[in-house]
Amino acid sequence: MANLSITTLCNKTCPYCFAEDSRQPYSKKGAFMSEAVFDAALEYLARSGIDQVRLLGGEPTLHPQFNRMVDKALERGFQLMIFSNGLMPPKVQERLRRIDPGEVVILLNTIHPLEADPRRMRRQQRTMEILGPRVMPGVNIYSRRQELDYLLPYVEQYQLIREIRLGIAHPVLSESNVFLHPKFYKEIGLKILDLLHKARALDIELGFDCGFVPCMFPEAAAEELGEMLQRTGSCCHPILDLLPDGNFISCYPLNNLLKLPLQADTHAQQLMETFEEKLAPYRRFGIYDHCAGCPLLQQSYCNGGCTAFKMNRLRHRSFAVPIDGMAPLLVE
Amino acid sequence: MSKQNRHSLLATAPSHILWTVEHNGIRIFNRQSDRHYVLEYPAAAVWDLLIRKRSIAQLIPILRAIQQVSAGEAVALVQQCLKDWHQQGLIEIEEPDGESVDHHPVQ
């Protein structure tokens, strides 16, 4: 897996945006991935045996060469996944509409009713109407107040892909974004379970992004959740996001941890190993203060949730305590 | 200033030492070596009090109360903690002017 972040520009200002740290250093001019970097990225994907091009941003459809990038990817036989907010230019809608639904998935990050943005919601719904079976609806959960049922009618009304993608808003290392604190995970777990019941009754599946943990769901639901539960616990791993300037990061929230350049011989497996090595010290504890003693962590059934949150749990507070009165502390 | 002058020495936590409170103690992470340490009670209490800027003089009676030990035993506990942490690189012993006196093991 590897995501190509082709632009840092966006036409929304989501309070939870976890691309925030990675967007900061770019001027408007430097906000777009060049064609040369994009071509090199396609080479890298092919070399790594990856058959899917995943375009994200910012809002990737704002890249002036977006349609051309889509053409190039399809000509080389890649599947396409596009992470979009659906507020895309008409010429992009038209290009995507001409792609066979089997070749493209547009993961549409829906505007939650809590955002109270009816104008943009209507634009999103228009995109769903036009692109229908190419669209998988999703939502990022950043508040305990978010209800999730509003997604189900979209699937029916616009004949979307029958899967809903759920994500949790995680903190970036600078903690400059709004995120869902793990103390609310159990509350959200109940809402997800409720959504699951309603979705399954309509033959709709749920999919989880990274950072969910098994203990956010009631133990009694373990059988019902089945394999989904195990996938939730094990899915904090390097995603490999390629930034517009040609540098890889592990994932958006960990933008400040380590950057590795895309080179002529870069291979996804090698990148993954390097990032995993960097993350390994953070596998021994979790997002909660009781994670380290949890059998699920010890048995690697769960890796303790979002690494960015774990890293933010670690603090430095200096102290300088005079050690007067201690028995001889130094020896010659 | 002599390094043997005990009144001139400070115990400090270097900037690469990070920590967090866990269910069973305090987890300390050395960002330079990527090593973890879990301080269990009562060492965790000593660390916590030092982080809260308590002086040794303030720390001893607190430890006496929570550990039900004599003043001498409380002093010995603090000494042992400082010795262990210094050897593990979790703290530095330095003079007030900032000069490190590392590599001098605590007795």
Side-chain angles (χ1 to χ4, degrees):
Chain A
M1 187 159 65
N3 297 326
L4 311 185
S5 175
I6 58 174
T7 179
T8 58
L9 281 194
C10 192
N11 46 8
K12 270 197 92 231
T13 50
C14 304
Y16 57 82
C17 180
F18 21 79
E20 196 54 33
D21 278 356
S22 61
R23 293 172 59 191
Q24 291 293 346
Y26 294 93
S27 63
K28 191 166 182 181
K29 191 180 171 191
F32 301 113
M33 181 178 282
S34 68
E35 196 161 348
V37 171
F38 183 75
D39 290 345
L42 293 186
E43 290 297 328
Y44 148 81
L45 292 172
R47 188 166 57 244
S48 301
I50 297 171
D51 60 3
Q52 189 182 50
V53 174
R54 299 159 63 110
L55 302 178
L56 76 163
E59 169 51 39
T61 61
L62 298 181
H63 194 298
Q65 301 299 320
F66 179 82
N67 283 356
R68 188 171 157 80
M69 290 171 162
V70 164
D71 291 342
K72 278 190 173 184
L74 291 175
E75 279 164 15
R76 293 194 56 163
F78 286 105
Q79 300 269 310
L80 271 175
M81 179 175 271
I82 298 160
F83 296 77
S84 172
N85 59 28
L87 310 175
M88 55 181 70
K91 66 174 184 180
V92 170
Q93 282 177 338
E94 177 52 29
R95 177 66 190 96
L96 295 177
R97 193 182 61 79
R98 286 190 283 109
I99 303 175
D100 185 284
E103 290 184 298
V104 64
V105 173
I106 300 153
L107 193 51
L108 197 151
N109 183 19
T110 60
I111 296 171
H112 192 273
L114 270 184
E115 292 182 55
D117 192 350
R119 191 177 59 84
R120 284 197 170 110
M121 282 180 86
R122 278 196 298 277
R123 277 189 66 193
Q124 270 198 342
Q125 288 161 12
R126 177 71 183 138
T127 297
M128 289 188 227
E129 190 178 6
I130 292 169
L131 300 176
R134 298 158 190 83
V135 173
M136 182 187 293
V139 65
N140 281 310
I141 304 167
Y142 62 95
S143 164
R144 61 195 292 211
R145 294 191 298 127
Q146 278 173 277
E147 300 299 334
L148 305 171
D149 292 359
Y150 77 100
L151 290 157
L152 295 170
Y154 285 160
V155 177
E156 298 294 345
Q157 187 177 348
Y158 302 113
Q159 298 294 300
L160 309 183
I161 295 170
R162 301 191 79 77
E163 180 175 337
I164 291 171
R165 196 80 180 164
L166 300 176
I168 288 180
H170 299 299
V172 296
L173 290 183
S174 65
E175 292 187 306
S176 57
N177 64 334
V178 172
F179 61 93
L180 185 73
H181 195 282
K183 67 185 174 189
F184 300 126
Y185 280 12
K186 279 184 190 289
E187 208 173 317
I188 291 297
L190 291 175
K191 290 187 182 187
I192 290 173
L193 210 51
D194 181 55
L195 179 69
L196 181 69
H197 295 151
K198 291 171 180 167
R200 282 187 173 162
L202 297 167
D203 197 25
I204 297 170
E205 291 298 317
L206 297 189
F208 295 131
D209 280 344
C210 59
F212 288 80
V213 288
C215 61
M216 68 190 288
F217 300 104
E219 276 184 38
E223 196 174 332
E224 185 181 1
L225 286 161
E227 280 184 15
M228 286 169 71
L229 194 64
Q230 187 164 14
R231 283 202 302 271
T232 61
S234 60
C235 77
C236 182
H237 51 72
I239 293 169
L240 306 181
D241 286 334
L242 182 65
L243 300 176
D245 64 2
N247 279 305
F248 282 99
I249 54 174
S250 179
C251 65
Y252 274 148
L254 296 178
N255 173 72
N256 297 340
L257 183 67
L258 175 67
K259 289 191 171 99
L260 297 169
L262 169 62
Q263 295 173 323
D265 59 348
T266 301
H267 194 282
Q269 185 62 33
Q270 157 218 340
L271 286 173
M272 191 68 100
E273 286 168 10
T274 307
F275 281 114
E276 281 287 7
E277 193 180 335
K278 190 74 180 169
L279 297 182
Y282 303 97
R283 298 289 189 219
R284 296 173 58 181
F285 66 111
I287 56 174
Y288 297 113
D289 64 6
H290 57 264
C291 283
C294 174
L296 297 183
L297 184 88
Q298 289 162 355
Q299 294 159 17
S300 300
Y301 185 87
C302 171
N303 57 25
C306 172
T307 302
F309 186 86
K310 288 193 259 183
M311 290 177 71
N312 284 345
R313 282 190 64 210
L314 294 167
R315 304 285 176 177
H316 173 75
R317 193 184 300 167
S318 62
F319 64 81
V321 181
I323 48 178
D324 301 351
M326 296 281 92
L329 287 163
L330 302 175
V331 292
E332 289 299 314
Chain B
M1 191 178 292
S2 166
K3 289 175 184 175
Q4 288 174 297
N5 181 346
R6 285 176 282 148
H7 299 285
S8 67
L9 298 177
L10 297 171
T12 64
S15 59
H16 57 268
I17 298 298
L18 309 177
W19 59 277
T20 188
V21 177
E22 297 263 69
H23 187 61
N24 60 342
I26 289 179
R27 174 175 299 276
I28 299 185
F29 178 56
N30 185 333
R31 198 163 41 181
Q32 276 185 348
S33 65
D34 283 346
R35 291 192 66 176
H36 289 254
Y37 305 84
V38 177
L39 305 183
E40 294 179 356
Y41 186 85
V46 176
W47 183 271
D48 183 62
L49 289 163
L50 290 178
I51 288 295
R52 292 169 194 271
K53 317 273 187 195
R54 301 297 177 105
S55 68
I56 301 294
Q58 292 169 321
L59 204 146
I60 298 302
I62 297 172
L63 285 176
R64 281 190 67 189
I66 61 178
Q67 283 286 92
Q68 300 283 299
V69 294
S70 67
E73 288 168 318
V75 169
L77 171 61
V78 176
Q79 280 180 316
Q80 188 63 46
C81 287
L82 292 174
K83 177 183 171 184
D84 291 346
W85 299 342
H86 188 225
Q87 285 176 345
Q88 291 165 340
L90 306 184
I91 60 169
E92 289 172 354
I93 307 293
E94 61 183 38
E95 294 179 349
D97 62 6
E99 186 186 346
S100 173
V101 288
D102 276 354
H103 313 300
H104 292 261
V106 180
Q107 269 188 335

